[in-house]
Amino acid sequence: MAPDNSPQVKTLPQPMLDFIAAFMRSLNNARLYASGHELVKKNIHDLYEKFEIVIGDRNFLFIGCAKDNLFLEGDFYTARDAHLKTFLTFFHSMRISNLFLDKEVTPEEVEAFVGLLAGAKQGQGEEVSEAFPQENIKRIKIGLLDYSIFSTVQSVASELAHSTEDESIWRQLIVQPAAAGTFNLDPEGLKELNRLAQDVDELKKLLVKLDTDMKSGSQAATTAQRGVLLGNFVQNLGKTLEGLDAEERRQFSIRVGAVLESLEPQLKTQILGSAVPPETDEEETGVIHEIIQAMPDNQLVNLLADALMEAGAKSACFDNLLNRAIAKYKDPGLLLTLIRSEMNRATQERRPDHLNHWQQLEQLLLQQQEAEELNRQYRKEIDALAASIQMEKPLVEEDEIDRLSKSLEPEPLRAAKVRLIVDLIRNPHPTKASLFVPPLLENLGEGMQQFLELENYVAVASLLRAASLSLSNLPRDHPAWQTMNTLLSTVQVGELVRNLMKKCRTFKPEETAGIDAVCQLYPEKAGGILVDALMELEVVKSPQGIWLSTTLASFCNRLGGVLGRKLQEAPEQTLPQLLDLAIMSGDSRLGTTVDQLLEHQSHDIRLKVIETLGSLKADKSVPRLAEVLLQKGWLKGKKLKTLQMATAQALVKIGTEQALEVLQKMAEEGSGELKSFCQKAVST
């Protein structure tokens, strides 16, 4: 419960009390009657009228809900009114800490929101929030902060403020979402905030203190919750500086960016993903917007991957960052190109950790593009039908009737059934996914088998893309993954991948999305096909070769058996790529296969083999490496010296007792630079 340190008890304004009373009446009626009932409609209408009175000239209504206190416009109000007590008790039981209603919210959104709350059980605030997209609720948001946050905010505000009025301003700066014109600052208060905004060390100190206070206590706030409040604070602090010129505001954004770099990476991601971008084309000037706009391309792509990995595809953090990135680049195709470039760079630098998430990011962007195109086409057809009806020209109507008649035939019905299954998989019940998803996947498998019989490989790939995005939110040991693995055999996966690759010309994301999904779902079954395709290429650095290398790198940790077989028969031009995959796989068992290439006729390949053995820490290959290192002769050519130095470095990486013994022997018996290196290696 948030303490009230003000000298007199504050009374909640009557219009707000009326709104809360109307809200609880609507909620109770929605529990008793079905959606659309006359009484439900009447109460929603009354609630919306009360909301219009409360909102007045505000841009939004933000209410913080502790167990016994309501937070409104910087002040805490103790619950004394019966309706207010019930309101706070209800939201507390749902673990909803704050409610945000935009001025433009529609009665339909309010009705849908009340309906969700009426059907929810205790503690299901998160499930209610996740259902907003399905109910088309865009202008209402709920917070799931820990209730101890309000006490933390009160404590920090009391410490920073010079008066009771200042406390209210500080509380709004921390808790309330950023909005223009919500802070009434006196000259001294504005001067204090300007000083804070210009002092990097002071700003960092304050943010760290806020974060530390939120992490302390028996119920520490999550990283996401801390990110929301700290994001509110920097956004609101920026709003107070709107009187400054553009360069001073830009410098403030640079300072905030520098401070965020000093915080823990996950918290930085959550702060940058805390602010909701505007849905309209209106110009945005917030601090977070300016930081994102100035961020280099590769950093933004990595930020998106971090948000996807840490918060998940359905999180507000990832959704906000993705929408900001799309708004920044305008053309989703440009963003796709940047993601693919970063994936290729990560493959070249042997950093496969993020590749799966970048592939998922590609799939999400493509899905969004396809959905927008489908909506455009749908609206176009509806407009054509409406125009036909108004003009009393039966042509479009007849076409539509004909189309509907054909949709009842076996083939369209089968396709419609599959689309329904895909929709259900994409939006599973939040708490019962483990029960419903596996049976749905089995039904999806039946549809895929029928498409395979018809050699409709594109349709199968489309289904697998949807399944891949849905399963990406589930752990690998989830029953749904086990079910998925049984749906297609190795032969069928091979047939599917080969035929999909034949359709590719540029190997850009739009063409490879289907194959990427197949590989994500069936890496072991698809891996051999992709390695074969790589080995057959005459030009490894071609678009197809680059895509193959990157895709294989994304699941290289599951390629051990395939690589072991293929390395023995690979042509010279693809050996470097396969050895890179072996290094990224980290599978030391590959050492026994790799060291057979130590006698390869190509000097560069032998160097690559030695490097691979060291990176794999292939301890069983130490005797073979020892033969290279301790090789003697009256004349040692430059190539042999290079091989021996690489071998010494590999033995250092392996680091076993046997490897150190070999290095010790060279340190005693060797000469020159190699001897010095080995002496230093065994002495550290």
Side-chain angles (χ1 to χ4, degrees):
M1 181 176 74
D4 187 355
N5 297 332
S6 57
Q8 63 182 35
V9 176
K10 291 182 176 290
T11 302
L12 195 63
Q14 189 59 47
M16 190 67 204
L17 288 172
D18 293 341
F19 168 76
I20 287 171
F23 189 97
M24 294 312 299
R25 283 196 299 271
S26 297
L27 180 62
N28 291 333
N29 270 279
R31 285 169 167 170
L32 293 173
Y33 302 101
S35 174
H37 191 279
E38 183 180 345
L39 282 176
V40 173
K41 292 286 187 184
K42 180 179 181 300
N43 278 280
I44 292 296
H45 177 74
D46 181 54
L47 171 60
Y48 194 77
E49 285 186 341
K50 298 293 191 294
F51 168 73
E52 289 181 316
I53 294 171
V54 166
I55 198 72
D57 296 329
R58 300 180 181 92
N59 291 322
F60 62 82
L61 177 64
F62 178 82
I63 304 170
C65 308
K67 186 175 182 180
D68 302 309
N69 287 266
L70 182 138
F71 177 84
L72 180 67
E73 296 183 334
D75 290 315
F76 287 102
Y77 296 88
T78 302
R80 289 179 173 79
D81 176 84
H83 290 298
L84 178 55
K85 287 180 180 178
T86 307
F87 178 87
L88 292 176
T89 299
F90 171 74
F91 276 90
H92 188 268
S93 71
M94 296 290 293
R95 298 202 59 76
I96 296 174
S97 61
N98 53 275
L99 172 61
F100 177 97
L101 295 101
D102 188 90
K103 184 174 186 177
E104 301 300 324
V105 67
T106 64
E108 291 76 20
E109 287 176 294
V110 172
E111 182 176 1
F113 175 53
V114 171
L116 286 175
L117 291 176
K121 297 180 181 178
Q122 185 171 334
Q124 288 190 331
E126 186 172 359
E127 285 81 354
V128 170
S129 179
E130 289 176 352
F132 278 14
Q134 295 169 245
E135 298 294 331
N136 201 29
I137 300 174
K138 298 180 179 179
R139 300 172 186 84
I140 301 176
K141 293 178 176 60
I142 56 177
L144 306 168
L145 301 172
D146 189 278
Y147 295 98
S148 62
I149 293 296
F150 291 110
S151 294
T152 299
V153 171
Q154 176 73 354
S155 173
V156 173
S158 299
E159 186 174 332
L160 294 172
H162 301 295
S163 66
T164 302
E165 289 73 17
D166 283 350
E167 282 187 35
S168 176
I169 294 295
W170 280 103
R171 287 193 290 262
Q172 289 184 73
L173 284 171
I174 298 168
V175 174
Q176 193 161 282
T182 57
F183 306 108
N184 298 313
L185 295 168
D186 58 35
E188 284 301 314
L190 186 59
K191 184 178 179 181
E192 174 69 16
L193 291 178
N194 285 341
R195 184 193 64 77
L196 175 63
Q198 294 175 19
D199 190 330
V200 173
D201 292 334
E202 192 66 25
L203 182 59
K204 177 181 176 181
K205 181 180 176 182
L206 177 57
L207 289 179
V208 169
K209 174 176 172 50
L210 278 167
D211 187 47
T212 302
D213 288 347
M214 286 188 282
K215 288 191 292 186
S216 62
S218 57
Q219 291 185 325
T222 65
T223 306
Q225 293 167 348
R226 288 149 48 207
V228 168
L229 290 184
L230 294 178
N232 285 346
F233 179 73
V234 296
Q235 285 280 87
N236 284 326
L237 184 58
K239 287 289 183 181
T240 66
L241 307 177
E242 289 189 337
L244 302 178
D245 62 46
E247 178 58 24
E248 288 179 311
R249 292 200 306 273
R250 190 180 73 84
Q251 289 298 323
F252 171 65
S253 297
I254 293 173
R255 287 190 285 272
V256 171
V259 171
L260 295 186
E261 287 297 328
S262 68
L263 302 177
E264 59 186 80
Q266 289 187 359
L267 181 60
K268 172 194 168 185
T269 301
Q270 290 290 345
I271 291 173
L272 292 174
S274 64
V276 181
E279 293 185 7
T280 61
D281 294 331
E282 64 184 83
E283 184 179 356
E284 189 182 5
T285 58
V287 177
I288 288 176
H289 166 77
E290 292 179 9
I291 291 173
I292 296 293
Q293 289 297 111
M295 189 175 288
D297 296 337
N298 66 316
Q299 288 187 22
L300 182 52
V301 171
N302 277 279
L303 180 66
L304 286 170
D306 288 338
L308 184 58
M309 180 173 62
E310 295 160 7
K314 293 186 177 181
S315 67
C317 172
F318 173 73
D319 188 55
N320 292 338
L321 286 172
L322 180 60
N323 287 330
R324 286 189 180 281
I326 292 172
K328 176 178 179 176
Y329 296 111
K330 310 299 183 186
D331 178 12
L334 177 57
L335 185 53
L336 282 169
T337 301
L338 292 173
I339 293 168
R340 182 59 66 89
S341 297
E342 198 61 28
M343 289 171 67
N344 295 339
R345 182 186 295 117
T347 302
Q348 293 166 8
E349 296 173 358
R350 300 175 190 161
R351 297 182 289 108
D353 296 347
H354 269 11
L355 288 176
N356 277 331
H357 295 95
W358 278 322
Q359 284 183 331
Q360 187 182 354
L361 187 55
E362 279 188 344
Q363 297 279 9
L364 289 166
L365 276 170
L366 289 168
Q367 183 187 65
Q368 188 175 52
Q369 282 183 278
E370 290 162 358
E372 290 175 357
E373 178 58 33
L374 183 64
N375 287 336
R376 279 194 293 270
Q377 185 64 31
Y378 177 74
R379 286 194 294 270
K380 183 179 177 181
E381 291 177 0
I382 290 296
D383 290 343
L385 181 60
S388 172
I389 294 172
Q390 290 175 353
M391 296 170 65
E392 297 184 352
K393 292 184 177 181
L395 180 60
V396 176
E397 285 183 77
E398 290 174 359
D399 288 345
E400 182 66 13
I401 292 171
D402 184 54
R403 187 186 68 80
L404 290 172
S405 298
K406 289 180 178 178
S407 70
L408 299 177
E409 296 174 1
E411 286 299 319
L413 278 177
R414 184 184 300 120
K417 176 185 175 182
V418 169
R419 285 196 299 271
L420 177 59
I421 293 171
V422 167
D423 287 339
L424 291 171
I425 292 172
R426 280 176 175 167
N427 301 288
H429 191 282
T431 59
K432 297 182 179 179
S434 59
L435 294 176
F436 294 140
V437 173
L440 287 171
L441 288 174
E442 290 176 0
N443 279 279
L444 186 67
E446 294 176 7
M448 288 196 297
Q449 294 297 336
Q450 292 169 345
F451 284 132
L452 282 173
E453 290 173 6
L454 297 170
E455 298 184 354
N456 191 344
Y457 303 110
V458 173
V460 178
S462 178
L463 298 179
L464 290 175
R465 284 180 58 199
S468 175
L469 283 173
S470 300
L471 296 186
S472 64
N473 299 312
L474 302 175
R476 274 281 172 179
D477 58 356
H478 192 282
W481 279 103
Q482 300 168 19
T483 302
M484 194 75 221
N485 192 50
T486 64
L487 298 185
L488 294 179
S489 68
T490 302
V491 172
Q492 289 174 319
V493 170
E495 176 190 2
L496 183 58
V497 170
R498 289 190 192 93
N499 281 281
L500 290 173
M501 280 199 293
K502 288 178 183 177
K503 296 180 180 295
C504 295
R505 296 292 177 267
T506 64
F507 287 87
K508 290 182 178 180
E510 294 85 351
E511 289 185 348
T512 63
I515 317 175
D516 291 334
V518 177
C519 294
Q520 288 164 11
L521 293 169
Y522 302 100
E524 291 90 349
K525 296 176 181 179
I529 306 300
L530 296 192
V531 173
D532 284 341
L534 184 64
M535 290 167 56
E536 291 168 3
L537 287 179
E538 294 181 3
V539 183
V540 177
K541 294 299 182 182
S542 63
Q544 182 180 4
I546 294 171
W547 170 76
L548 283 168
S549 296
T550 301
T551 304
L552 285 165
S554 70
F555 57 91
C556 58
N557 61 332
R558 306 177 73 176
L559 283 175
V562 172
L563 287 174
R565 294 190 299 273
K566 301 298 181 181
L567 278 167
Q568 300 175 29
E569 56 192 56
E572 184 176 320
Q573 71 266 23
T574 55
L575 271 176
Q577 282 72 30
L578 295 186
L579 290 170
D580 277 337
L581 290 171
I583 291 173
M584 287 187 281
S585 75
D587 189 346
S588 61
R589 294 171 298 179
L590 288 171
T592 54
T593 302
V594 173
D595 67 19
Q596 294 176 29
L597 298 170
L598 280 170
E599 302 300 327
H600 199 281
Q601 60 184 5
S602 167
H603 174 72
D604 291 338
I605 294 296
R606 294 177 72 189
L607 276 176
K608 189 81 174 179
V609 168
I610 292 169
E611 179 196 4
T612 304
L613 292 172
S615 298
L616 291 175
K617 300 186 184 299
D619 55 329
K620 292 182 180 179
S621 299
V622 169
R624 295 293 309 278
L625 292 171
E627 292 175 10
V628 178
L629 183 65
L630 301 175
Q631 185 175 339
K632 295 181 179 180
W634 288 104
L635 292 173
K636 286 188 178 181
K638 184 177 179 181
K639 287 186 176 181
L640 178 57
K641 289 180 179 179
T642 305
L643 285 173
Q644 288 182 319
M645 181 59 76
T647 302
Q649 293 168 347
L651 288 167
V652 170
K653 289 181 180 178
I654 293 172
T656 61
E657 185 176 340
Q658 186 183 15
L660 294 175
E661 287 175 359
V662 176
L663 290 167
Q664 179 66 46
K665 189 169 183 179
M666 176 55 74
E668 295 171 355
E669 302 175 3
S671 61
E673 185 181 353
L674 184 59
K675 178 176 181 175
S676 299
F677 177 85
C678 292
Q679 286 176 336
K680 185 177 179 181
V682 296
S683 64
T684 54

